Amino acid sequence: MSEVDLRGKRVFIRCDLNVPIEDGRITDDTRIRASVPGIRYALEQGAAVMVTSHLGRPTEGELKPEDSLAPVARRLGELLKLKINLVKDWVSGVDVKPGEVVMLENCRVNKGEKKDDEKLSRQIAALCDVYVNDAFGTAHRAEATTHGVARFAKIACAGPLMAAELDALGRALANPARPLVAIVGGSKVSTKLTVLGELAKKVDSLIVGGGIANTFLLAAEKPIGKSLAEPDLAGEAKRIMKKTKVPLPTDVVVDSGKAKPVEAVAKGEMILDIGPETAKAFAAALKNAGTIVWNGPVGVFEKEPFAKGTQALAKAVAGSDAFSIAGGGDTVAAIHKFKVDKRIDYISTAGGAFLEFLEGKRLPAVAALEARADD
């Protein structure tokens, strides 16, 4: 984007402004704030700026009040100190002048958006002189505003947030400082199985937490009581443990709030966090790391008795001299809760795209921009 002349041009910016909203109020504006630099830059260059995003999972062709970007437009206006008009039914034309910015209503309401419809993509491309994709969080989706428009716009380029995400992930995975340590938490192995398999080929150590760790403990023939796990994937966990070092919890916190050795977990108990000794061991491994990639908490950190493990890891990542990158909604929530955001080198706004990049997948939106760069 910084390499394109935007003066007097109509610039269409696809952002990821899919923020949580409760009772009409935004509860976390991280993604909006992350999108501000690209929008502000276009305005400063004298462009006529159109911004759009998806929000939630609307039914195509039907705009319900809860699917409207109205709260997002208000918040973006506050951050830019500008009045931002919200435009409905914008595919056929948008009235915007240089130095102005308008918000185009939820793009997933447009029929054909999710199917990457060519006709819709061409219509949107005709609205602008320059198409900017600054929505890394949706880069794993081939949709009209993330992929199709990039094919047909006069000029297509990446915004500063997209570029920063790709740079940080590339630094963490393409040629990382060693040891490379990955932390992968969450409830299910099945949702992150291919990520774990790919990371096992690249990392020097793979720290697992949450329900994922329980499946690995099961594979190591440790008692897990009635903890959340996926017994049918224990074989996959064993194969991953043969590929790389996977340090398993030696003590855990069960549903009573008590910490105990893994071997002492009773049949009726549920593991909800790593124990203090495990937290110390994991923290020591992170202290000596060269690069840290973090996706997912290691316990039910939202509840106080089970927050200490994730808190200890968050502080260890923040205190390490390693280059650190973290992504995923729960991870970002934990980072903010434990107030370590200023000491993580890069915090990704993405969830699914972050995971798919870790898998080594080629992201459709990124591929579309790369193809245009080669024109």
Side-chain angles (χ1 to χ4, degrees):
M1 181 184 185
S2 60
E3 298 173 3
V4 179
D5 181 6
L6 303 179
R7 288 173 296 178
K9 301 287 177 59
R10 291 171 63 86
V11 177
F12 183 102
I13 306 179
R14 173 55 157 102
C15 294
D16 181 8
L17 307 174
N18 186 29
V19 294
I21 297 175
E22 293 178 11
D23 300 322
R25 298 182 65 184
I26 296 167
T27 57
D28 182 357
D29 68 353
T30 301
R31 286 178 170 171
I32 302 175
R33 287 184 284 109
S35 297
V36 165
I39 298 167
R40 182 175 283 140
Y41 177 81
L43 284 170
E44 288 172 350
Q45 297 302 304
V49 184
M50 298 164 274
V51 177
T52 195
S53 172
H54 71 289
L55 181 69
R57 301 177 184 275
T59 302
E60 286 193 0
E62 184 181 342
L63 179 64
K64 296 177 182 175
E66 61 268 26
D67 297 323
S68 175
L69 286 170
V72 177
R74 282 195 296 273
R75 181 59 183 141
L76 181 61
E78 291 169 0
L79 292 167
L80 290 171
K81 296 181 172 56
L82 291 170
K83 184 180 186 308
I84 296 179
N85 291 323
L86 182 64
V87 182
K88 297 179 184 177
D89 304 319
W90 48 268
V91 173
S92 57
V94 180
D95 182 20
V96 58
K97 296 177 178 61
E100 293 180 349
V101 57
V102 294
M103 178 77 72
L104 310 182
E105 191 57 276
N106 195 331
C107 59
R108 281 196 185 157
V109 171
N110 296 326
K111 289 183 178 179
E113 168 66 18
K114 285 187 70 78
K115 291 185 177 179
D116 198 17
D117 180 75
E118 182 173 329
K119 181 183 176 183
L120 175 63
S121 298
R122 287 183 180 277
Q123 283 181 293
I124 297 172
L127 297 175
C128 63
D129 301 303
V130 180
Y131 164 75
V132 178
N133 191 335
D134 209 22
F136 180 76
T138 65
H140 58 313
R141 308 285 189 201
E143 299 180 350
T145 57
T146 63
H147 180 264
V149 180
R151 294 168 58 207
F152 303 118
K154 296 170 189 172
I155 297 173
C157 58
L161 179 59
M162 172 75 85
E165 294 265 6
L166 292 171
D167 286 346
L169 281 162
R171 179 179 170 185
L173 294 174
N175 189 26
R178 300 272 177 183
L180 168 57
V181 180
I183 307 165
V184 182
S187 58
K188 293 183 177 182
V189 171
S190 55
T191 58
K192 296 183 178 178
L193 184 60
T194 50
V195 176
L196 293 167
E198 287 301 314
L199 284 175
K201 300 174 188 175
K202 301 171 183 174
V203 302
D204 299 294
S205 182
L206 177 60
I207 293 173
V208 291
I212 291 173
N214 297 335
T215 301
F216 277 80
L217 286 169
L218 203 60
E221 300 181 354
K222 301 293 185 182
I224 64 166
K226 61 175 184 178
S227 305
L228 176 67
E230 294 170 285
D232 57 326
L233 292 176
E236 290 293 334
K238 284 182 180 178
R239 280 188 279 277
I240 288 167
M241 286 191 282
K242 287 179 180 177
K243 291 180 184 176
T244 193
K245 183 181 177 184
V246 183
L248 295 177
T250 55
D251 65 336
V252 294
V253 178
V254 294
D255 44 357
S256 64
K258 183 181 178 182
K260 55 169 55 184
V262 167
E263 285 79 5
V265 175
K267 286 184 178 180
E269 291 180 321
M270 185 179 288
I271 299 170
L272 294 176
D273 196 11
I274 58 173
E277 294 304 316
T278 300
K280 284 181 188 175
F282 287 177
L286 294 169
K287 185 176 182 180
N288 298 317
T291 305
I292 300 169
V293 178
W294 180 18
N295 179 266
V298 295
V300 186
F301 74 96
E302 301 92 341
K303 298 182 180 179
E304 197 47 49
F306 317 114
K308 290 185 175 63
T310 301
Q311 182 177 25
L313 251 67
K315 289 186 174 180
V317 173
S320 173
D321 291 332
F323 173 72
S324 55
I325 179 168
D330 288 341
T331 312
V332 174
I335 286 168
H336 289 311
K337 178 175 180 176
F338 302 123
K339 296 180 172 60
V340 296
D341 48 299
K342 289 182 173 59
R343 292 187 290 151
I344 306 291
D345 289 303
Y346 194 83
I347 300 172
S348 173
T349 58
F354 183 88
L355 282 175
E356 291 199 13
F357 194 101
L358 296 186
E359 279 181 58
K361 287 186 176 178
R362 196 161 187 239
L363 306 181
V366 177
L369 293 177
E370 288 173 343
R372 290 302 304 274
D374 294 335
D375 284 353

